[in-house]
Amino acid sequence: SLKATGIDFLKSQNTREHHTDGYNIKNLVVRRGQPFQVQVSLNRELRAADKLSLHFGIGENPTKNRGSLMSLKPEKEQDFNGWKISVVKKNGKECLLSVTSSPNAPVGKYTLNVKTGTNIYEPENGVIYLLFNPWCKDDAVFMADEAKRKEYVLNDTGYIYVGSAYSIYDRPWNFGQFEEFVLDACMYLLDKSKLSLSNRRDPAYVSRAMSALVNANDDSGVLLGNWSGNYRGGTSPMDWIGSVTILQNYYKTKKPVSYGQCWVFAGVLNTVMRCLGVPSRCVSTFNSAHDTEENLRVDIYLNESGEKLNWMSLDSVWNFHVWNDVWMKRTDLPDGFDGWQAIDSTPQEQSQGVFRCGPCPVKAVRAGDVYLPYDGKFVYAEVNADKVYWVVKKVNGKDKYFRLTAETQDIGKNISTKAVGQNKREDITLEYKYPEGSKEERKSMERACSFIRPSGMVPRSGYATTVEERSMRISTPMVLHETVTKTGLHLEIINTEALHPGNPLELAITVKTSTPGNWTIDLAGSCQLQYYTGKVQANLGTIKETIKLEGKSEMQIPLKIAPDAYMKTLASVDDEVLILVTAIAEVKETNDKLTKETSMRFEYPPITVQMPEIAKLNNDFSCAFIFKNKLNVALENCKLLVEGLGIFKMTTFDQGDIMPGRIMKSEVICTPTRLGEKKIVAKLISNQIKGISTEKAITIIE
């Protein structure tokens, strides 16, 4: 009787054609909807009467009627569940077969057996990994542009943009979707998601499930979020430089890894989606609104000195927030919503009872079609909410709320992602919304408001609602307009000297008027340290002045903060903090009020990397990291973290304290194991500063 004696998965040829040769795994990894070849060795030549078939099974106890077992007979060349098989050539006892999976086959691990008559041959490493295929026209994740596929599917390094709207900087991040155990971790998550086989065909269901599983809430997923400033018992979110260690640890222990914040969640989710074959990018939005009540409004409360009162508001504005866009056709929605879809794994709000978000079509966000699944209202508010400032004053011993200004153009600024094929930032704000102040933009806002439950213009803090205020509520959502003043009042906030930790913070508030008349202006200004989530960590100082301006004129008021006021706070928290400056101006003659806030980040000395530009595969080279402490303060408890995918594993150097003026130098001997352009990423952290990053590229040749 005919028996199979062996099978060659022709791994190097298949993986090259399927763009999967990067995966560090013994098994064959292929993409759906595209042919791959296997060579079957038999105990004798194949005859016309022989029965030979390949069986592909997915899941536990695969069966034909459930569609989890494909039985492919080459002599028929029949189409089974969209799968095809044919004989390419017969050569003595060898038989070369071509298999094409269906372009909407469930993604996951398939077991392959060869059946000849009653004999079944089970090869070792007979598990084949089947992924989404952006190169296949009939796959829902098809992407036509090769440069984009290279960036959004194959690039294993990139940047995540952080900071604040006025000082954006890039944090290099190693996605590492091809590293050891990362694909297995993603397959484990797919199984853990309990998605039905038919839902595993659809990138919309898969990306929604992954947005839930990358956070540990509800389902013991990958990462535990922590914004407390205390990260004992885990790794501070600032200390990660990539997703690889996180996913490897999770796969090894099957327990959540501690700790993540939004850019870590986005970095890991990006790795998972690219690893599964779905084009994906990290998206950063500056001044991102977290609108808890879905009414497209964020209330901010200030005291009379202009200091933000965090405890009063349920809503928050994050200096930046990072999520992901994934690329797909939305077969579950009306036409017109294909393309980028926002997904978010940072646990902020529950969606249908679970911490997850998306996929929400970016085109729907732009048009204000927030009724579409999934989570359109939340994503819309993140980039479009209006900001309303209230000042809280004591009147006869009671808190009274006075509305200051409404900002309609401040939320959702500089939406950023890494440019295709270039190491620079691309601004994609116009993909998410029409130009601020344009007719289309207000129309989109009105459309969005029509789907959102009504609320009026009263303060909305949990502490501020009284019966009388509730009865004042207006029954339709308001489309707010930017505050315009009679005096042409305008505020600007700048730093007059570089913001180096250990130096005084030299800041200034400029007050301008532009209409004729004599104006008396009460100015209150405050400086606070805050987390990127908008939470205030420390009050550093305030100024109060009354100034007189005439007609079109301006005056600059300095605000200086001594190092002693903030250095202790800097060293006591494990997060990078921003400097928040808020100003309130009130014109006595007209009762005009205006608020302005700006957040800035500290500036740090750089790390330099010394290494060759080109190195040979498997040949050692040395890489040196040099850092000079140009600050006026000692940096305590310094650690240098370095990683180079395909060059060396994540390494940590303890550097102790680096005194002012001192130079630190660390060296790594590197052995490259993969060809092409590779990047080395380094990050320095200490008690005082939380993340000076740098990276350098090297080309590895044969």
Side-chain angles (χ1 to χ4, degrees), residues 419-432:
V420 173
Q422 292 175 293
N423 292 331
K424 60 179 209 196
R425 185 177 76 85
E426 181 188 355
D427 192 300
I428 55 169
T429 312
L430 293 178
E431 290 184 40
Y432 269 87

Side-chain angles (χ1 to χ4, degrees), residues 551-601:
K552 188 175 179 179
S553 56
E554 61 178 74
M555 190 182 280
Q556 194 177 67
I557 312 294
L559 169 58
K560 189 171 175 172
I561 308 290
D564 303 355
Y566 69 86
M567 282 309 293
K568 215 166 152 180
T569 306
L570 266 199
S572 70
V573 295
D574 276 341
D575 296 85
E576 185 168 38
V577 286
L578 292 136
I579 302 157
L580 171 71
V581 185
T582 312
I584 305 179
E586 296 191 42
V587 183
K588 285 207 170 129
E589 291 78 4
T590 60
N591 211 11
D592 271 351
K593 295 183 182 64
L594 194 64
T595 34
K596 171 88 180 171
E597 62 170 27
T598 301
S599 24
M600 309 166 179
R601 61 183 286 261

Side-chain angles (χ1 to χ4, degrees), residues 481-604:
H481 294 283
E482 200 71 13
T483 302
V484 181
T485 66
K486 302 185 186 75
T487 43
L489 185 61
H490 185 70
L491 294 171
E492 267 171 28
I493 299 168
I494 56 159
N495 50 306
T496 49
E497 292 292 327
L499 301 167
H500 292 305
N503 289 4
L505 306 180
E506 311 233 3
L507 308 159
I509 300 167
T510 305
V511 186
K512 298 182 180 179
T513 50
S514 62
T515 51
N518 290 318
W519 311 115
T520 313
I521 299 159
D522 285 333
L523 177 72
S526 75
C527 181
Q528 296 171 298
L529 285 185
Q530 68 163 11
Y531 287 129
Y532 86 97
T533 57
K535 185 177 140 212
V536 171
Q537 188 54 36
N539 295 329
L540 304 184
T542 59
I543 48 164
K544 254 198 158 124
E545 296 219 5
T546 299
I547 57 175
K548 290 198 178 327
L549 287 178
E550 196 179 325
K552 188 175 179 179
S553 56
E554 61 178 74
M555 190 182 280
Q556 194 177 67
I557 312 294
L559 169 58
K560 189 171 175 172
I561 308 290
D564 303 355
Y566 69 86
M567 282 309 293
K568 215 166 152 180
T569 306
L570 266 199
S572 70
V573 295
D574 276 341
D575 296 85
E576 185 168 38
V577 286
L578 292 136
I579 302 157
L580 171 71
V581 185
T582 312
I584 305 179
E586 296 191 42
V587 183
K588 285 207 170 129
E589 291 78 4
T590 60
N591 211 11
D592 271 351
K593 295 183 182 64
L594 194 64
T595 34
K596 171 88 180 171
E597 62 170 27
T598 301
S599 24
M600 309 166 179
R601 61 183 286 261
F602 287 101
E603 295 170 42
Y604 309 123

Side-chain angles (χ1 to χ4, degrees), residues 55-69:
H55 288 213
F56 290 89
I58 184 171
E60 287 171 29
N61 311 321
T63 59
K64 281 188 187 177
N65 59 5
R66 281 219 310 270
S68 55
L69 181 66

